[in-house]
Amino acid sequence: MMLSRYLPILVWGRDYSRAALSNDLMAALIVTIMLIPQSLAYALLAGLPAEAGLYASIVPILLYAVFGTSRALAVGPVAVVSLMTAAALSNIVEQGTMGYGVAALSLAALSGLMLIVMGLFRLGFVANFLSHPVIAGFITASGIIIAASQIKHILGIDAEGHNLLELVISLVTHLTESNWITAVIGIAATAFLFWVRKGLKPLLESLGLKPRLTGILVKAGPVAVVVVTTIAVWSFGLDENGVKIVGDVPQSLPPFTLPSFSPSLLGQLLLPAFLISIIGFVESISVAQTLAAKKRQRIDPDQELLGLGAANIGASLTGGFPVTGGFSRSVVNFDAGAETPAAGAFTALGLAIAAVSLTPLIYFLPNATLAATIIVAVLSLVDFSILRRSWHYSKADFAAVLTTIIVTLAFGVEAGVSAGVGLSILLHLYRSSRPHIAEVGQVPGTEHYRNILRHDVMTDPTVVSLRVDESLYFANARFLEDKIQNRVAGDKQIRHVILQCSAINEIDLSALESLEAINQRLREMDVKLHLSEVKGPVMDRLKKGHFLKEMTGKVFLSQFEAAHSLRGPEFRNSDVNKAAAN
Amino acid sequence: MMLSRYLPILVWGRDYSRAALSNDLMAALIVTIMLIPQSLAYALLAGLPAEAGLYASIVPILLYAVFGTSRALAVGPVAVVSLMTAAALSNIVEQGTMGYGVAALSLAALSGLMLIVMGLFRLGFVANFLSHPVIAGFITASGIIIAASQIKHILGIDAEGHNLLELVISLVTHLTESNWITAVIGIAATAFLFWVRKGLKPLLESLGLKPRLTGILVKAGPVAVVVVTTIAVWSFGLDENGVKIVGDVPQSLPPFTLPSFSPSLLGQLLLPAFLISIIGFVESISVAQTLAAKKRQRIDPDQELLGLGAANIGASLTGGFPVTGGFSRSVVNFDAGAETPAAGAFTALGLAIAAVSLTPLIYFLPNATLAATIIVAVLSLVDFSILRRSWHYSKADFAAVLTTIIVTLAFGVEAGVSAGVGLSILLHLYRSSRPHIAEVGQVPGTEHYRNILRHDVMTDPTVVSLRVDESLYFANARFLEDKIQNRVAGDKQIRHVILQCSAINEIDLSALESLEAINQRLREMDVKLHLSEVKGPVMDRLKKGHFLKEMTGKVFLSQFEAAHSLRGPEFRNSDVNKAAAN
């Protein structure tokens, strides 16, 4: 039992059938074909040699197959994590040096360790602080940065920049140095890939092809571009005319590598590794949950942390870089019929064969082609509709999205995601520190109590009933004190204050002491404090303090009971005092 | 109207009566007598010359009388803020230098500006993030540090330390250098003052004195010690035997001074000034609210910020240091019968007369006497009962108190309060990120729905009803997704999921998207999602998105209505499936 909790492979492996095998093999073939160009491209994006992309797709996917709980997730390099890897490393070591590759291994190892620790201590909830709007804003901004960072490869120029503005300025100033042959290849490849996405699918469908075949042909678009442009460069010797190519790629299985654990390097990688772990986990778990739901399967988030952690440790020991469960590759895997993680293992096998046998064929592959596949892939991530949606739904969410996008574009991915998370938390705390407190009155003919400012209700000049629509904790405890004191101090008729507690899910010690202060101050004003509709767990908690003994009034089961038993002689309709309530 | 909002003096000044005048004068006399030794002592604590304490009690109290809303608050130097001033400044400039005094002015000015800005922008809620347990722990730890820091004056030795441990070690190693005459004065003064607090009051009461007179005599204890020890030093020439005395104090009204605004100094003072502002504000508003309640008066927290801000600006322009509304002096003022802020103005007048005429008399006042008054005052702040109370009530609150005390003692006041606030916020977020989600069933014979694990209720195998006891926001959105998916994926009988929303006060965009994902995934499993008892404001918000249109089920007014209309044929008592619910 215990073992199969930590090794999900023991569960699905026991019942592995011939039918599942043939489905998994088919899915693996399709995913392998799709992954070859994608892996090379993401290695380029991460600032690493092309083969690192292949290596990062082999052992990690095998380890995830052993430890992961998703049946269809495909683990490997993904766009956003590759960008974050490049952003983290280029601050520390120069691209193209040995140290850069080693730092990438360290980053993967550190990220893997963090994921495993989070998994073992069940700390996956940390990822919840990345709100959906922040993720959406972050991914959109990252897509823009990634696309911009690839334009130099498309045009065959050198350009550098730590943020979007610097990058764009650098691109513009170097524009005249463009290599026109590279630019033709790059622009043509980009245009073709966009057409494959937008124009080919409707065309094939109108020709009567089956949707599944259409899907496979569309996914094969990048492979076609790779083949055509590689042959073009080879046939015409374009590399001698300044077209940059992938060049020598070792024919090898993933090598055994060791990350560096120098303290100064680890210190610098700590924050990036944490952010990469969290963002990678969020991307991966979202995909896994979505695909699992389609087959009524369960995903265990803590076990997923272990699976992704193992995958990253694997990447660090076999010449890779940080990996996670990718959206597009997982969806392709699922659509192609993958039934178990064995499909991932077969994909790994396919990529291993490619690494050993196919690498000489990509010697003449132009970098511009890889850049084109990246641009087309990431621009599908760019989605500004989150701005419109959040604006309509909630200004606080809108502020978080906008901040994330602007800070990511202006100061980079780490600053962007940190700013977004920080602002979300501050806004949440701010909102809950000023809770909605409604003064309520009785709806005539019912036992219901509603807001006196919104409804035509009956009130009693000697009894004030307040409904607090928030848990009471330190951030809003004083707010309640002020609110009650201000309501009561000015109105000498009041004899009773009832707090309707139906929406109070928690009362912490600060709030308890505020209630004691409120009770004490009301006593000085000769006003009694009562509670109504206190929830069970809150009541349990209150009984541990001495507040209930000191309270001048009583605890009532319902607001109606409370108001009814405290009712004074002047009970009346509130039309008159709606104005006075302010 | 507008003017009197920002100048409360216009309100109470208009009706100022002869009776109020005589009460205010009496209160001012008593407070003045009490404040003379206290002001000198707190200046010593802040590391400043004695006269700074008098100056800091004159103009600030006048300005608060104009801008403040509390009738009884007495503004001036207080123990904790004086300690924080010393802690902030001794990191930057050496004590006893000109620069130290100027830095104190800058700290007061910066703190005053921050308070005014917070007041104008109504940012007083920031202070709410100081939870009661953190404040209690902080004040207890500060009291210990303050008392420890004064022992060197009691014994007449030199001792330094940035935290309690260093201070104690330094005291012990210098113990042999004690000046025995100083030690006799210091220890006798301390013992006498403790006796005045604990023994004199019962004694006088048993002699039949009226409580009010007893109170005044007890408060006059420090004055008696000052007079006796000063005369002793003067008579026997003890200062020539190594007893350190206050020495020359200029006979002068508060001088006009200008704080330094050098950017490097301001940069270093930014965080301390912020913490001093917040802690000073919290101490002041708590006292003000407590006293105001006794007379059914209102306190406007935002206006209080302006009043305290003006007082601190005043302190910075007249040779003072950071001030706030003090607990003991305000209570004395109130008990002595102060009716309006005019009492404060008269106190200022009394202290001004003292500053001009009495300062030569304190030439021979030993520092050990001032240290004794500080020790006795602050040890009454030390209260470890908060540890016991928080332990019983909530482990999270206990953790916050303990952390605040330990970090304050080990690393100083700024670190302590920051750690306490940070931990409180993290624990709050953690708790709300894992909300209580109860599966509910119908209590037989009623329309109530309660937790199936706690109550004997009726359930339906095809309908799952879940009550979420927390607002839904980004930190718990994914938790709900996991919870629902895990509950439903394993049980193929389920056809409907009802979320009972009675305790949901807010749904942010992340939670809305999680609900959309839940709806989508349930649809894939052929299960419908319904909502019940959605609050008005939450419903208004939901209507802004397209979720309600996409939702597979309906929104029901009550949980009973929902469960009733979805009831399957196998509705049964839940005794059987209590176990299955896990």
Side-chain angles (χ1 to χ4, degrees):
Chain A
M1 270 310 277
M2 191 62 192
L3 202 63
S4 67
R5 153 143 169 58
Y6 287 109
L7 288 172
I9 191 173
L10 298 177
V11 180
W12 60 263
R14 216 166 31 199
D15 308 323
Y16 199 60
S17 67
R18 182 179 288 266
L21 173 69
S22 95
N23 283 334
D24 285 347
L25 277 173
M26 183 64 202
L29 181 67
I30 294 171
V31 174
T32 304
I33 291 171
M34 171 197 169
L35 280 194
I36 294 174
Q38 201 183 84
S39 303
L40 302 172
Y42 289 154
L44 193 77
L45 175 54
L48 289 160
E51 64 270 22
L54 288 175
Y55 301 157
S57 301
I58 297 173
V59 173
I61 211 171
L62 279 174
L63 287 167
Y64 181 82
V66 175
F67 294 103
T69 58
S70 168
R71 299 286 172 103
L73 197 69
V75 169
V78 306
V80 171
V81 168
S82 301
L83 170 70
M84 294 180 79
T85 300
L89 300 185
S90 57
N91 285 333
I92 303 173
V93 247
E94 200 168 342
Q95 259 192 34
T97 61
M98 263 291 282
Y100 190 90
V102 173
L105 300 175
S106 303
L107 190 62
L110 200 56
S111 165
L113 283 175
M114 287 178 175
L115 288 163
I116 288 173
V117 167
M118 286 195 281
L120 291 176
F121 292 94
R122 307 187 157 267
L123 298 176
F125 72 90
V126 171
N128 296 343
F129 291 99
L130 271 180
S131 71
H132 292 210
V134 168
I135 297 169
F138 175 71
I139 288 189
T140 288
S142 300
I144 294 171
I145 294 178
I146 294 172
S149 74
Q150 297 306 307
I151 293 176
K152 63 180 179 185
H153 297 299
I154 297 282
L155 301 176
I157 56 181
D158 285 324
E160 288 296 334
H162 285 91
N163 58 49
L164 190 64
L165 188 66
E166 280 179 28
L167 197 61
V168 169
I169 291 173
S170 176
L171 281 172
V172 171
T173 50
H174 290 83
L175 204 57
T176 51
E177 300 156 22
S178 298
N179 177 291
W180 72 268
I181 307 176
T182 308
V184 167
I185 295 172
I187 293 169
T190 310
F192 174 75
L193 287 171
F194 267 116
W195 174 78
V196 165
R197 289 214 166 206
K198 304 281 174 186
L200 181 60
K201 205 174 165 193
L203 183 70
L204 292 177
E205 279 168 356
S206 71
L207 292 176
L209 264 71
K210 286 189 184 148
R212 186 156 172 195
L213 185 59
T214 304
I216 294 174
L217 284 175
V218 168
K219 300 292 177 213
V223 178
V225 176
V226 165
V227 172
V228 169
T229 56
T230 305
I231 292 175
V233 172
W234 171 67
S235 321
F236 304 108
L238 299 180
D239 55 316
E240 284 157 24
N241 293 306
V243 174
K244 292 218 176 101
I245 55 174
V246 169
D248 271 322
V249 176
Q251 264 182 290
S252 150
L253 285 174
F256 176 67
T257 52
L258 274 178
S260 153
F261 285 115
S262 91
S264 81
L265 181 64
L266 290 188
Q268 289 173 291
L269 292 179
L270 219 54
L271 178 67
F274 180 69
L275 292 177
I276 285 174
S277 304
I278 296 289
I279 288 178
F281 174 61
V282 169
E283 172 163 1
S284 182
I285 194 94
S286 309
V287 185
Q289 291 278 34
T290 303
L291 297 180
K294 290 180 197 281
K295 293 193 170 175
R296 217 163 177 148
Q297 291 160 348
R298 290 170 73 148
I299 298 293
D300 174 352
D302 291 315
Q303 182 63 27
E304 282 301 284
L305 286 164
L306 297 180
L308 292 177
N312 274 291
I313 300 284
S316 77
L317 296 176
T318 57
F321 56 99
V323 295
T324 193
F327 178 75
S328 57
R329 61 178 64 190
S330 301
V331 171
V332 170
N333 194 34
F334 183 87
D335 288 346
E339 286 200 13
T340 74
F346 300 139
T347 304
L349 190 68
L351 289 170
I353 293 170
V356 173
S357 62
L358 300 184
T359 46
L361 300 182
I362 58 170
Y363 180 92
F364 288 105
L365 172 59
N367 285 344
T369 304
L370 293 177
T373 65
I374 295 176
I375 289 177
V376 175
V378 297
L379 283 185
S380 70
L381 302 176
V382 175
D383 177 10
F384 284 105
S385 74
I386 183 67
L387 283 172
R388 186 176 39 72
R389 271 187 297 141
S390 59
W391 174 260
H392 284 300
Y393 188 73
S394 138
K395 300 298 175 284
D397 284 314
F398 174 77
V401 182
L402 193 65
T403 303
T404 308
I405 293 180
I406 291 175
V407 176
T408 304
L409 292 179
F411 301 103
V413 284
E414 289 166 20
V417 75
S418 308
V421 170
L423 186 66
S424 306
I425 291 177
L426 283 181
L427 287 171
H428 169 72
L429 291 173
Y430 174 71
R431 277 179 294 174
S432 69
S433 78
R434 309 179 72 98
H436 181 236
I437 299 181
E439 182 165 347
V440 294
Q442 187 179 3
V443 180
T446 73
E447 298 186 2
H448 289 300
Y449 280 74
R450 302 302 288 267
N451 193 333
I452 63 166
L453 300 177
R454 288 191 178 207
H455 300 270
D456 202 17
V457 293
M458 315 204 301
T459 60
D460 183 331
T462 66
V463 180
V464 173
S465 298
L466 298 172
R467 191 190 71 221
V468 185
D469 286 347
E470 187 71 60
S471 291
L472 293 180
Y473 75 113
F474 59 87
N476 57 32
R478 203 178 309 279
F479 182 78
L480 183 68
E481 287 182 40
D482 293 343
K483 200 94 178 177
I484 292 183
Q485 181 142 346
N486 284 344
R487 177 66 186 85
V488 176
D491 186 345
K492 301 210 191 266
Q493 284 187 290
I494 299 169
R495 287 289 161 268
H496 300 281
V497 170
I498 307 170
L499 286 186
Q500 186 186 346
C501 305
S502 48
I504 295 176
N505 299 310
E506 198 211 334
I507 293 181
D508 77 355
L509 189 58
S510 299
L512 181 74
E513 295 189 353
S514 281
L515 286 176
E516 287 170 1
I518 290 166
N519 180 53
Q520 180 58 37
R521 289 173 194 161
L522 288 178
R523 187 207 305 269
E524 309 273 0
M525 303 187 209
D526 202 19
V527 174
K528 286 188 172 159
L529 176 68
H530 309 266
L531 305 180
S532 75
E533 303 187 9
V534 182
K535 294 192 177 190
V538 175
M539 198 67 193
D540 292 349
R541 191 53 76 79
L542 285 181
K543 282 178 182 157
K544 292 187 189 170
H546 47 78
F547 169 65
L548 291 180
K549 281 170 221 135
E550 287 173 10
M551 197 172 69
T552 47
K554 294 206 288 176
V555 180
F556 294 92
L557 271 183
S558 74
Q559 173 61 27
F560 173 72
E561 199 185 313
H564 198 75
S565 77
L566 302 172
R567 181 178 293 175
E570 293 173 65
F571 189 59
R572 64 177 182 197
N573 194 293
S574 75
D575 276 345
V576 190
N577 59 2
K578 256 188 205 175
N582 289 312
Chain B
M1 269 311 274
M2 190 62 191
L3 203 60
S4 66
R5 154 148 168 53
Y6 286 110
L7 288 172
I9 192 173
L10 297 178
V11 179
W12 60 263
R14 215 166 32 198
D15 309 322
Y16 199 59
S17 66
R18 182 178 288 265
L21 174 68
S22 94
N23 284 334
D24 284 348
L25 277 173
M26 183 63 202
L29 182 66
I30 294 170
V31 175
T32 303
I33 292 171
M34 169 197 171
L35 280 194
I36 293 174
Q38 201 182 84
S39 302
L40 302 172
Y42 288 154
L44 193 77
L45 175 56
L48 289 160
E51 65 268 23
L54 289 175
Y55 300 158
S57 302
I58 297 174
V59 173
I61 212 171
L62 280 174
L63 286 168
Y64 181 81
V66 176
F67 293 103
T69 58
S70 166
R71 299 286 172 105
L73 196 71
V75 170
V78 305
V80 171
V81 168
S82 300
L83 170 70
M84 293 180 79
T85 299
L89 299 185
S90 57
N91 285 333
I92 303 172
V93 250
E94 201 169 340
Q95 260 192 34
T97 61
M98 262 291 283
Y100 190 89
V102 174
L105 300 175
S106 303
L107 189 61
L110 201 55
S111 165
L113 282 176
M114 286 177 175
L115 288 163
I116 288 174
V117 168
M118 285 196 280
L120 292 176
F121 291 95
R122 308 189 155 266
L123 299 176
F125 71 91
V126 172
N128 297 342
F129 291 99
L130 271 182
S131 71
H132 291 210
V134 169
I135 296 170
F138 176 70
I139 288 189
T140 288
S142 300
I144 294 171
I145 294 179
I146 294 172
S149 74
Q150 298 305 306
I151 294 176
K152 63 178 179 186
H153 296 300
I154 296 282
L155 301 177
I157 56 180
D158 284 324
E160 288 296 333
H162 285 91
N163 59 49
L164 190 65
L165 187 67
E166 280 180 28
L167 198 60
V168 169
I169 291 174
S170 177
L171 282 172
V172 170
T173 51
H174 291 84
L175 204 56
T176 52
E177 300 156 21
S178 298
N179 178 291
W180 72 267
I181 307 177
T182 308
V184 167
I185 296 174
I187 292 168
T190 309
F192 174 74
L193 287 171
F194 266 117
W195 174 77
V196 165
R197 290 214 165 206
K198 304 280 175 191
L200 182 61
K201 206 176 165 192
L203 183 70
L204 292 176
E205 279 167 356
S206 71
L207 292 176
L209 263 72
K210 288 193 182 142
R212 187 157 173 193
L213 186 59
T214 306
I216 293 174
L217 284 176
V218 169
K219 299 291 177 213
V223 177
V225 176
V226 164
V227 171
V228 170
T229 56
T230 303
I231 291 175
V233 173
W234 171 65
S235 321
F236 304 106
L238 299 181
D239 55 315
E240 283 158 23
N241 293 307
V243 174
K244 289 215 179 107
I245 54 172
V246 168
D248 271 322
V249 177
Q251 265 182 289
S252 148
L253 285 174
F256 177 69
T257 52
L258 273 179
S260 153
F261 286 114
S262 92
S264 80
L265 181 64
L266 290 188
Q268 289 172 291
L269 293 179
L270 218 55
L271 177 67
F274 179 69
L275 292 176
I276 285 174
S277 305
I278 296 289
I279 287 176
F281 174 60
V282 169
E283 172 164 1
S284 182
I285 193 97
S286 308
V287 184
Q289 291 278 33
T290 303
L291 298 180
K294 291 180 196 283
K295 294 196 171 172
R296 219 166 176 145
Q297 291 160 348
R298 290 171 71 149
I299 298 294
D300 174 353
D302 290 315
Q303 182 64 27
E304 281 302 284
L305 286 164
L306 296 181
L308 293 176
N312 275 292
I313 299 284
S316 77
L317 295 176
T318 57
F321 57 100
V323 294
T324 192
F327 178 74
S328 57
R329 62 178 63 190
S330 301
V331 171
V332 171
N333 194 35
F334 183 87
D335 288 345
E339 286 199 15
T340 72
F346 300 139
T347 304
L349 190 67
L351 289 169
I353 292 169
V356 171
S357 61
L358 300 183
T359 47
L361 301 181
I362 57 170
Y363 181 90
F364 287 105
L365 172 60
N367 285 344
T369 304
L370 292 178
T373 65
I374 294 176
I375 287 177
V376 176
V378 298
L379 283 185
S380 69
L381 301 178
V382 175
D383 177 10
F384 284 104
S385 74
I386 183 69
L387 283 172
R388 186 176 39 72
R389 271 187 297 142
S390 59
W391 175 262
H392 284 300
Y393 188 73
S394 140
K395 299 297 173 285
D397 283 313
F398 175 78
V401 183
L402 193 66
T403 303
T404 307
I405 292 180
I406 291 175
V407 176
T408 304
L409 292 180
F411 301 103
V413 284
E414 289 166 20
V417 75
S418 308
V421 170
L423 186 66
S424 306
I425 292 178
L426 283 181
L427 287 171
H428 169 72
L429 291 173
Y430 174 70
R431 278 179 294 174
S432 70
S433 78
R434 308 178 73 96
H436 182 236
I437 299 181
E439 184 165 345
V440 294
Q442 188 178 1
V443 179
T446 73
E447 298 187 0
H448 289 300
Y449 281 73
R450 303 300 290 265
N451 193 334
I452 62 167
L453 299 177
R454 288 192 177 205
H455 301 269
D456 202 18
V457 293
M458 316 204 298
T459 60
D460 182 332
T462 66
V463 180
V464 173
S465 297
L466 298 171
R467 193 190 69 221
V468 186
D469 285 347
E470 187 70 62
S471 291
L472 293 180
Y473 76 112
F474 57 88
N476 57 31
R478 204 178 309 280
F479 182 78
L480 183 69
E481 285 181 42
D482 294 343
K483 201 93 178 177
I484 293 182
Q485 182 142 347
N486 285 344
R487 177 67 186 84
V488 176
D491 186 345
K492 301 208 192 268
Q493 283 188 290
I494 298 169
R495 285 291 160 267
H496 300 281
V497 170
I498 307 170
L499 286 185
Q500 186 186 345
C501 304
S502 47
I504 296 176
N505 300 310
E506 198 210 334
I507 293 181
D508 79 352
L509 188 59
S510 298
L512 181 74
E513 294 188 353
S514 281
L515 286 177
E516 287 170 1
I518 290 166
N519 181 54
Q520 180 59 36
R521 289 172 194 161
L522 289 177
R523 188 209 303 268
E524 308 273 0
M525 305 187 208
D526 202 20
V527 173
K528 285 186 174 161
L529 176 69
H530 309 267
L531 306 180
S532 75
E533 302 188 9
V534 182
K535 295 193 176 189
V538 175
M539 197 68 193
D540 291 350
R541 190 55 76 80
L542 285 181
K543 283 178 182 157
K544 291 185 189 171
H546 46 77
F547 169 65
L548 291 180
K549 280 170 221 133
E550 286 172 9
M551 197 172 69
T552 47
K554 291 206 289 177
V555 180
F556 293 93
L557 272 184
S558 75
Q559 173 60 27
F560 173 73
E561 198 185 315
H564 197 76
S565 76
L566 302 172
R567 182 178 290 176
E570 294 172 65
F571 187 61
R572 62 176 182 198
N573 193 294
S574 75
D575 277 343
V576 190
N577 59 3
K578 256 188 206 176
N582 290 313

